[in-house]
Amino acid sequence: PLYFIDTHAGAAVYALTGAYARKNAEFESGISRLWSRRDLPKPVADYVAQVRAVNPDGKLRAYPGSPQIAFQMLRKQDRLRMFELHSTESRLLLEYFRNHGPRAIAQAGDGFAGLRALLPPPSRRALVLIDPSYEDKADYQRVVAALREALEKFATGVYAIWYPIVRRREALQLPDRLRRLATGNWMNVMLQVKAQPADGVGLYGSGMFVANPPWTLPKMLAGVMPCLVDLLSQDEPAAF
């Protein structure tokens, strides 16, 4: 059995038709550009199929968060464990998964502490997603500490850590700090979709650091990333 542990799960599903989603309409430069394509590489098409699962009428009205995508892909014997500290998001998450235990259990609380309590999982097989908002810059240090402790307790787990590409010293230093911890196999992939903001404020890309990645993942991403640059580019400096 595989354990999927989501330390910062957010809400399970997000409505794209409400005022909050439409305020910045970030989805229009993301999933909307992939939604109607029929020429996507298979891994990207598989991802879009997961989004379609929460839009059965074929119109893009909702977006699945990471716990929902994981839940859709769980086998009968697998387990999903989720944490969310934000009061509003955690309430939505707990309500959404209220009747899905013991396969899927959501908890309102600190995901870093929750991860510590769950490792190592009984099956010794786990994928851990760590993706805080980093609005509090102390999150960068918490992520490093969490990976260090997790590898000490469960060295063979797969740890996927999302981080923002922003003009902040802590963000630029994070991949190197994670590399020094991951003494075994690791992978770091970054996607920049637009130029750095002239005022230095704002997200212009995303990164994912993976400790103990599946051996097929680097080759798969090498085929996928050029396509994502072409489809998601907002100006000339887009790259991976």
Side-chain angles (χ1 to χ4, degrees):
L2 176 72
Y3 272 64
F4 178 76
I5 303 169
D6 197 333
T7 63
H8 295 75
V13 177
Y14 302 90
L16 300 180
T17 54
Y20 183 80
R22 298 221 58 94
K23 181 179 179 181
N24 295 320
E26 292 178 339
F27 65 92
E28 291 183 353
S29 58
I31 183 60
S32 289
R33 295 191 181 189
L34 309 178
W35 182 250
S36 300
R37 303 287 299 226
R38 294 294 181 265
D39 56 349
L40 298 171
K42 186 178 184 304
V44 183
D46 290 345
Y47 153 70
V48 174
Q50 296 297 328
V51 181
R52 289 189 182 281
V54 297
N55 293 278
D57 65 356
K59 296 182 179 180
L60 182 58
R61 304 178 191 274
Y63 187 80
S66 51
Q68 174 62 21
I69 291 178
F71 186 70
Q72 291 170 182
M73 299 178 71
L74 285 187
R75 301 169 302 170
K76 182 172 63 175
Q77 69 269 34
D78 296 335
R79 296 292 180 263
L80 172 59
R81 300 292 180 262
M82 303 156 278
F83 300 90
E84 178 53 50
L85 188 59
H86 188 279
S87 58
T88 302
E89 298 281 275
S90 63
R91 178 176 53 79
L92 294 171
L93 183 72
L94 266 63
E95 177 62 25
Y96 192 85
F97 285 104
R98 181 165 52 91
N99 297 319
H100 292 297
R103 290 181 67 220
I105 297 176
Q107 293 179 240
D110 181 359
F112 293 122
L115 174 62
R116 189 181 308 123
L118 288 176
L119 296 181
S123 65
R124 296 300 195 273
R125 293 190 68 233
L127 167 60
V128 178
L129 174 63
I130 303 175
D131 65 333
S133 67
Y134 298 95
E135 291 176 358
D136 180 353
K137 67 179 183 180
D139 279 343
Y140 293 96
Q141 180 57 40
R142 294 188 190 107
V143 164
V144 172
L147 181 61
R148 179 187 299 111
E149 186 172 13
L151 288 170
E152 289 173 356
K153 296 188 71 173
F154 181 46
T156 57
V158 180
Y159 300 93
I161 299 171
W162 176 84
Y163 59 93
I165 306 300
V166 291
R167 290 177 61 180
R168 173 181 269 184
R169 177 174 55 86
E170 293 85 359
L172 297 173
Q173 292 176 345
L174 184 62
D176 284 333
R177 298 181 69 188
L178 297 174
R179 285 188 193 105
R180 290 196 292 270
L181 294 176
T183 54
N185 293 323
W186 58 268
M187 181 195 72
N188 185 48
V189 58
M190 297 180 290
L191 175 65
Q192 179 177 340
V193 296
K194 58 184 178 181
Q196 296 184 25
D199 60 4
V201 178
L203 183 77
Y204 56 95
S206 286
M208 184 73 79
F209 183 93
V210 186
N212 300 322
W215 69 272
T216 55
L217 188 56
K219 182 178 179 180
M220 182 270 281
L221 285 176
V224 163
M225 297 306 292
C227 171
L228 292 181
V229 170
D230 289 342
L231 293 175
L232 302 180
S233 171
Q234 297 180 31
D235 54 36
E236 192 60 33
F240 76 95

